[in-house]
Amino acid sequence: MAETVPATVPAKRKVEVLGSEEELAAALAKYVADLSDKFVREKGLFTVVLSGGYLIDLLRKLAEPPYVESVEWSKWHVFWLDERVVPKTHPDSNYKLASDGLLSKVPVVPENVYAINDTLSAEGAADDYEACLRYLVESGVLAPSAASKFPKFDLMLLGMGPDGHVASLFPGHPLLEEKERWVTFIKDSPKPPPQRITFTFPVINSSEYIALVVAGTGEVDAVHTALGNSGDAKKLPAQMVTPEGELTWFLDKDAASKL
């Protein structure tokens, strides 16, 4: 059973606390499948952005009945919030993580899976991925946000690090303030590997729906800072996730234990 945290949160932000990691995985699969159905019904496709980390394992129930049969996988267009600049076969690759954990188990169309070009430098890969997004806006797969003119994705699935980072946007880093680029690069990530590409906050916050998913005790202090009344004036990157649409935090009881 999900419970809603009794906190004063903006109308477009929800906080769902699930009793266990298993219940969290079940709730997240239903949430994603329901949004897939909604957008496929409304416009004939579904644009979804994946992250790395344990998020992919928490999506595991999408590859099981009923969703493996009921979701219209052929209508999915899959992107990455951020990626490590390593070969797609490398253990650090977010593409490999998602492919092994989810995409290889469901009938997505390979041409609709947009991985970074792993033969390029960090800067080159960021430029190439932004060019890909711009082409998809021109071709109608992605729509521009009426408010921001940045590309508007249907759903972004975000994790959060113990330091409150999202994507490859880390506390105190200048990239937090990037306002022009759609995709940028980082060569000094405080978390290895150091070279990565990442969506910027203007793109993240143009989304229609964002799920911010946290399980276990590793990020409990960051959850408390982001959602509780901690009195900490320092803003975490996760607190900068303020989409045009709707933000839902999915937490298990361990992650929410300090709220």
Side-chain angles (χ1 to χ4, degrees):
M1 277 294 285
E3 60 177 280
T4 302
V5 171
T8 42
V9 295
K12 293 194 296 182
R13 190 174 85 185
K14 300 177 180 177
V15 181
E16 301 287 345
V17 180
L18 287 303
S20 66
E21 189 265 6
E22 183 74 6
E23 288 179 26
L24 174 53
L28 188 61
K30 182 179 188 307
Y31 171 84
V32 174
D34 287 350
L35 285 178
S36 174
D37 291 347
K38 165 186 159 64
F39 284 106
V40 169
R41 190 171 62 249
E42 290 176 358
K43 61 176 190 173
L45 57 85
F46 181 49
T47 58
V48 60
V49 179
L50 302 177
S51 304
Y54 58 71
L55 173 80
I56 298 300
D57 184 51
L58 288 169
L59 295 172
R60 62 186 179 270
K61 292 186 180 295
L62 286 169
E64 301 171 2
Y67 304 117
V68 69
E69 291 97 5
S70 65
V71 168
E72 290 194 65
W73 297 104
S74 65
K75 308 294 188 185
W76 278 42
H77 290 255
V78 181
F79 303 83
W80 274 266
L81 181 73
D82 66 327
E83 180 58 285
R84 290 85 179 269
V85 182
V86 295
K88 291 186 183 73
T89 54
H90 193 281
D92 285 338
S93 166
N94 284 344
Y95 170 85
K96 176 176 168 56
L97 184 69
S99 179
D100 292 350
L102 176 64
L103 300 179
S104 64
K105 301 176 181 179
V106 296
V108 291
V109 178
E111 292 76 22
N112 294 348
V113 176
Y114 304 94
I116 74 159
N117 185 334
D118 61 355
T119 66
L120 300 175
S121 67
E123 187 172 4
D127 288 345
D128 182 75
Y129 209 56
E130 179 164 328
C132 170
L133 299 187
R134 289 185 181 276
Y135 172 77
L136 292 171
V137 170
E138 289 173 13
S139 61
V141 172
L142 290 169
S145 159
S148 72
K149 307 305 180 191
F150 287 91
K152 190 176 195 70
F153 290 90
D154 298 332
L155 172 63
M156 287 199 186
L157 294 159
L158 276 60
M160 180 181 70
D163 60 356
H165 83 265
V166 294
S168 285
L169 299 166
F170 293 90
H173 198 280
L175 289 184
L176 297 179
E177 304 305 322
E178 174 60 53
K179 300 290 194 295
E180 304 296 328
R181 293 291 304 262
W182 295 10
V183 184
T184 190
F185 64 96
I186 180 171
K187 291 186 174 180
D188 56 352
S189 166
K191 179 181 175 184
Q195 299 202 31
R196 300 153 175 248
I197 75 164
T198 182
F199 282 2
T200 60
F201 271 119
V203 172
I204 293 169
N205 286 332
S206 294
S207 302
E208 192 68 41
Y209 289 87
I210 294 180
L212 219 164
V213 184
V214 188
T217 58
E219 296 82 23
V220 65
D221 290 327
V223 169
H224 179 235
T225 299
L227 293 176
N229 297 312
S230 67
D232 190 341
K234 186 180 67 176
K235 202 166 197 181
L236 299 179
Q239 291 171 286
M240 298 172 66
V241 179
T242 53
E244 291 175 17
E246 182 180 284
L247 168 63
T248 304
W249 285 74
F250 285 89
L251 310 171
D252 69 2
K253 68 178 191 305
D254 289 338
S257 60
K258 289 195 175 181
L259 293 180

